Structures are given as C-alpha cells and as structure tokens.
Amino acid sequence: MFTGIVEELGTVAALEEQSDAVRLTVEGAVTTDAALGDSIAVNGCCLTVAALGNGSFTADVMKMTLDKTSLGALAVGHRVNLERACTPQTRLGGHIVQGHVDTTGTIVRREPGEHWELVEIALPEPIARYVVLHGSITVDGISLTVAELRDDSFVVSLIPETLTRTTLGFKQPGDPVNLEADIIAKHVERLIHRD
C-alpha cells in the first residue's frame, strides 16, 4: 500500500526488452533501505524489487502492466515518480493508494497561475463513475484532489511543491498519465451491487 506522497523523482537507467516483459532499472535514493521483494511505486505502478544495484533497483514489468499503464512509453533518462510502500508507522498524508493502475489518461491542457497551476486530464469512461468533485484520485502515483469535474475530464490544482517534486511539473498536453481511482469507491459500489 502507498499514500500517493511521492518521495522523489528517479531516473530510468536501463530497459531490457524481453519477449513479453521489460526489466526496468531505476536510479533513486529510495533504494537506500530497499530489499529484494520490496514494493516501490513507479509513476503509481506497484513494482517488486527483483535486483538491487548501487543506488538503483530493477523490476520486471509484465506485458499486462505495459499494456495498461504508461510504463511502456518510458525510455532511458526519463524521470519517474518514486514512492516506497508505507509501513504501519507511516503518516497517511495522501490517501489509500494500491499501486494498481486502472487506466491511463492524457493531459489535455495546463493553465499556469501566480502560485499554482491547473492541469486538466482526460477521464476515461471505465473509471469516471469513481471520480467525484473534491475526492481523491492518483495521477502518476500522486495523491491529488479533484478541483473540477467535467463530462470527460477532471482538473487538479498543483502547488509549487508538487510541480517541483513530481512528473506533473514537466508533463505536457498529449502526455499519458497513470490513473488509479479511489479504492473505497470501488468497494462501496461492489457492496451495493452484490446479488
């Protein structure tokens, strides 16, 4: 489990193409206390540490994950959001994030303000019913609040800290982002619609 509070921007160090997967190596300080088998969220995707290097970790990314997320578009040198799995002592500064990406969205537009920036993101139909005004959504692993909700998109308001410390500081219109809807909404829907 994660909280959606990105710890750092890591850097893709290597991509090893396999027949039905990719071995992804990422450099970042989150490796200082990492162990084999640990979970680290990369742009919101929960990945398992399969190997550790000097300041880097390697994870196996299956075809299903590559198809469902934006990880398949990564290249060496790309910056990625990193967060270690939380512990029972972790402050839950964001919201409950599983690292199980539902789908990808696309950045529609950016609107700079004096002290913040509005970013509009296309809202794919499969998760639209879970997104509510002022509710939580995870974008590239970042716990964010929905500031505006439209028919086929939503808007988030980003403070300078988020712009500086995450991929949303430099992603542009047309760029894909990983989206994870609030798990509580999914559980409530399942409970209500059980036969």
Side-chain angles (χ1 to χ4, degrees):
M1 184 178 104
F2 305 91
T3 68
I5 304 299
V6 172
E7 293 182 68
E8 69 170 315
L9 278 168
T11 304
V12 175
L15 289 162
E16 180 187 334
E17 298 283 341
Q18 299 176 326
S19 60
D20 60 351
V22 167
R23 283 187 60 90
L24 170 67
T25 301
V26 178
E27 295 173 340
V30 296
T31 60
T32 55
D33 65 349
L36 295 179
D38 281 358
S39 295
I40 297 177
V42 177
N43 281 356
C45 301
C46 178
L47 299 180
T48 301
V49 175
L52 285 164
N54 187 13
S56 68
F57 72 94
T58 298
D60 295 303
V61 186
M62 300 181 308
K63 183 179 185 323
M64 181 171 63
T65 303
L66 294 169
D67 291 344
K68 192 173 188 176
T69 73
S70 66
L71 293 188
L74 291 177
V76 172
H78 280 183
R79 304 302 304 274
V80 289
N81 296 325
L82 299 177
E83 180 188 357
R84 290 171 287 187
C86 61
T87 68
Q89 293 81 28
T90 304
R91 285 191 173 101
L92 188 58
H95 71 283
I96 297 171
V97 176
Q98 293 186 296
H100 302 164
V101 171
D102 291 304
T103 189
T104 58
T106 303
I107 295 179
V108 175
R109 69 177 176 90
R110 300 184 71 110
E111 184 181 320
E114 186 178 350
H115 299 291
W116 64 84
E117 188 165 338
L118 298 177
V119 177
E120 183 178 357
I121 300 168
L123 181 59
E125 179 58 36
I127 67 164
R129 66 182 178 272
Y130 303 120
V131 181
V132 297
L133 185 62
H134 302 148
S136 296
I137 189 164
T138 309
V139 179
D140 265 0
I142 310 160
S143 174
L144 295 169
T145 301
V146 176
E148 293 179 43
L149 186 58
R150 299 174 179 166
D151 289 339
D152 57 359
S153 66
F154 65 96
V155 176
V156 291
S157 181
L158 305 180
I159 61 173
E161 181 73 6
T162 305
L163 293 167
T164 301
R165 294 176 49 95
T166 73
T167 57
L168 287 182
F170 54 79
K171 287 206 171 180
Q172 295 301 310
D175 287 345
V177 289
N178 293 321
L179 301 177
E180 180 184 334
D182 190 348
I183 187 64
I184 294 171
K186 296 177 194 173
H187 280 298
V188 169
E189 178 185 62
R190 175 76 172 145
L191 288 169
I192 291 172
H193 295 293
R194 282 190 67 112
D195 293 329

